[in-house]
Amino acid sequence: MRKLIILFLFICSNSISAEVNIFSARHYDSDLELYKKFTEQTGIKVNVVSGNDKALQKRIIEEDKDCVGDIYITSDAGRLGAFESKGMLQHANWSDEIKKKVPIIFRSDSWVGIAKRARIIFYSPERVNQSELQNLNYESLSEPNWKGRIVIRKSDNIYNQSLVSSLIENNGKDETLKWAKSLVTNMARSPKGNDRAQILAVAAGEADLAIANTYYYALMLSGQKGEEQKNAAKKVLPFFPNQNNRGTHMNISGAGLLKFSPNKSNAVKLIEFLLSEESQKHIVNNTYEYAMLENISPNELVPGKDLDFKQDNETDVKLYWDNQSEALKIMLLAGWK
Ligand SMILES: [Fe+2]
């Protein structure tokens, strides 16, 4: 009888804990569809708290031990690194399968990349000639032929901070400061707007080159942002820099295991599910990111849909956080608004 009661209690407690709580700074309805599939397959209920990155991090820190969150999902390795450095994540002991799927430069002990994106150049084929594109690198955006021709968003943007962090890693602080100063003189306007606004500026003739993440271009082409943006995207072309050296700057969306996760094993199951072929296909076709798994093709609308470009597979994305404060310092010193 006692054994039966213990068994009963075990079953009860097990069914009560069959849930997982996600705090997500991603804003995709398609992510919710994915979590629904996970529940259907495992019986584990998924609760989602969404919000912007800063607000969610603040809430998790304030709730401390009382926070019911298991997984923190956000874009940019710089943000994941920042949160990890505040001690808000725990070591996850990733399985061999996850380690095999996700190269070491796209994960830490506490977070793992679930999708990739590239930060690339978009140009006007009318105003940029082919010789200017020859061997174009991020580094060459500082050259005088680009004076007054480049648009890029502000220095407070994490994607830019991560790009500059990567340049610091590859070229050193002094070179990067020189580069940033010249880049500022090459800007067509004082930085404003999001990544799509940069592409729109090139389409409108305000600039010749824009820096933006790959998925924004696909999103515009998809028509989900309206006809005007679709037509604007058609007027510009993507270009992958640094093809003759380390490759194009890559970043991730990722998931971290929260420090006080009450449903740790379910959390790990969900992260493993996000890295399954089924989930990876779902992600690339809805968010227009690149899959973390090499065998999954990107969506047709995404630049580099044939994966025929060289990705930077050397620069560890964990450095985006390590170099972040230096990157911001350099950008501000250079007068990057
Ligand atoms: Fe984004």
Side-chain angles (χ1 to χ4, degrees), residues 195-309:
D195 272 16
R196 280 180 290 113
Q198 316 310 314
I199 294 173
L200 287 170
V202 172
E206 276 179 64
D208 298 344
L209 283 192
I211 313 298
N213 285 354
T214 37
Y215 53 89
Y216 288 115
Y217 180 70
L219 182 67
M220 291 169 85
L221 285 179
S222 76
Q224 289 176 65
K225 293 289 169 187
E227 276 304 299
E228 208 183 309
Q229 294 208 8
K230 185 177 177 177
N231 292 331
K234 284 181 183 166
K235 287 187 188 162
V236 310
L237 288 174
F239 182 87
F240 288 88
N242 296 71
Q243 292 303 287
N244 292 328
N245 43 68
R246 67 183 178 277
T248 295
H249 173 76
M250 303 301 294
N251 208 327
I252 56 157
S253 286
L257 187 62
L258 285 164
K259 186 178 180 183
F260 299 110
S261 165
N263 309 289
K264 193 172 160 179
S265 71
N266 293 345
V268 171
K269 270 184 207 152
L270 178 56
I271 291 171
E272 284 170 354
F273 172 79
L274 294 175
L275 286 162
S276 67
E277 282 200 14
E278 179 191 6
S279 302
Q280 292 278 297
K281 276 183 193 157
H282 180 93
I283 291 171
V284 297
N285 286 313
N286 285 285
T287 69
Y288 304 122
E289 291 166 287
Y290 303 112
M292 192 49 80
L293 303 186
E294 276 174 17
N295 56 335
I296 308 286
S297 303
N299 185 276
E300 281 290 303
L301 297 174
V302 181
K305 66 182 168 61
D306 299 318
L307 292 179
D308 51 0
F309 68 98

Side-chain angles (χ1 to χ4, degrees), residues 27-28 75 79 117 153 159 195 213 215-216:
H27 45 270
Y28 297 108
S75 60
R79 285 185 179 134
R117 61 272 303 284
R153 66 203 284 183
Y159 304 148
D195 272 16
N213 285 354
Y215 53 89
Y216 288 115

